[in-house]
Amino acid sequence: MSTQTQIPSYAEGLTELQNNLVTMLPQDALDVFEADANALKANHQNILKLNVGDKAPNFSLSNAIGETTTLQSLLEKGKVVLTFYRGSWCPYCNLQLNQYQQVLEDINSLGANLVAVSPQTPDESLNIKEKNELQFEVLSDNGNIVTRQFTTVFKNGETPIETMKALGIDFDSHYADDSQELPVPAVFIIEKDSTISFAKAIDGDYRNRVEASDIIYSLKK
């Protein structure tokens, strides 16, 4: 039974976040990130590697405190809402995961558990978990081994990485490898028999994310 939480709007949150970033970041940095996002949108059209009706492959990943978590063990408890994100340094990831936390009771009441996956180290997974007070599993997929089975993975550009560095963000320190690869954000709902019943990525522009309302609506169907 749903708790009828007020479902936050990512679109509204995005507008507020972008207005804040305009006041926080220099224009040349904003221009770099805008060009990067637009290029990613143009370059990545067919994002999802698995779609509705496909079987999700089992995986084994470390959570934020280094414990091993498998998809199979999660599915024994119920459906799984699986979301792939970039990292704790990404303001859009923080916004998305924070909003998903706000509807976590609804997700749980509809028979599902939420799990977030990124290529970050467990320490950085713990960082984003604590920063956003996340009460769901945040898993580390070093090298995007699992992630590339679900969604597109690409090498981050040198220009945005150098721009981040100039802003005091050490991109490479968040990851255990030096591939500089990131996932295109995507969300899947996996039924208890491993069948995917929901699969969505908005586009290659990392600023655009799946609304929490889409997840809740799909779980209610």
Side-chain angles (χ1 to χ4, degrees):
M1 180 176 171
S2 175
T3 58
Q4 297 300 316
T5 303
Q6 180 64 41
I7 301 177
S9 164
Y10 181 80
E12 292 178 3
L14 177 61
T15 298
E16 181 179 355
L17 171 58
Q18 291 181 313
N19 288 338
N20 290 337
L21 290 176
V22 166
T23 67
M24 295 166 57
L25 301 180
Q27 188 59 48
D28 58 346
L30 292 169
D31 290 343
V32 166
F33 297 141
E34 176 75 21
D36 180 47
N38 290 336
L40 290 171
K41 182 173 183 176
N43 292 337
H44 299 298
Q45 302 290 329
N46 299 310
I47 296 164
L48 300 180
K49 303 304 180 183
L50 292 172
N51 288 282
V52 172
D54 291 338
K55 291 284 187 178
N58 188 36
F59 59 72
S60 177
L61 295 173
S62 294
N63 67 10
I65 56 175
E67 296 174 342
T68 299
T69 300
T70 67
L71 177 59
Q72 183 177 358
S73 66
L74 292 166
L75 290 174
E76 289 172 0
K77 303 172 187 175
K79 301 178 184 181
V80 170
V81 177
L82 185 63
T83 182
F84 294 92
Y85 72 101
R86 292 149 55 90
S88 58
W89 51 267
C90 172
Y92 307 98
C93 297
N94 284 287
L95 172 61
Q96 178 191 26
L97 296 185
N98 182 275
Q99 289 196 345
Y100 288 4
Q101 173 60 42
Q102 293 177 50
V103 298
L104 182 60
E105 284 190 30
D106 292 88
I107 289 173
N108 293 160
S109 72
L110 291 165
N113 290 297
L114 177 60
V115 179
V117 175
S118 82
Q120 294 188 118
T121 63
D123 281 349
E124 285 303 320
S125 294
L126 183 61
N127 181 22
I128 199 168
K129 191 175 174 77
E130 291 179 341
K131 179 163 58 176
N132 294 285
E133 299 181 350
L134 305 180
Q135 295 169 18
F136 52 86
E137 290 281 31
V138 182
L139 307 181
S140 296
D141 180 22
N142 182 34
N144 291 288
I145 304 302
V146 172
T147 302
R148 68 181 75 249
Q149 298 177 68
F150 287 84
T151 185
T152 295
V153 173
F154 67 94
K155 188 176 189 301
N156 200 10
E158 288 300 324
T159 302
I161 289 175
E162 287 303 312
T163 303
M164 288 169 62
K165 187 175 182 180
L167 295 171
I169 302 169
D170 184 357
F171 174 83
D172 291 324
S173 69
H174 292 74
Y175 306 97
D177 68 359
D178 58 1
S179 69
Q180 299 184 325
E181 290 184 331
L182 293 172
V184 176
V187 176
F188 299 82
I189 296 177
I190 305 170
E191 301 294 317
K192 293 187 71 174
D193 67 353
S194 298
T195 302
I196 294 171
S197 59
F198 175 91
K200 187 171 184 179
I202 306 302
D203 54 39
D205 183 343
Y206 54 79
R207 298 171 296 189
N208 300 325
R209 304 295 173 99
V210 175
E211 291 276 5
S213 58
D214 287 351
I215 296 170
I216 300 300
Y217 176 76
S218 183
L219 288 172
K220 284 182 175 179
K221 286 198 300 184

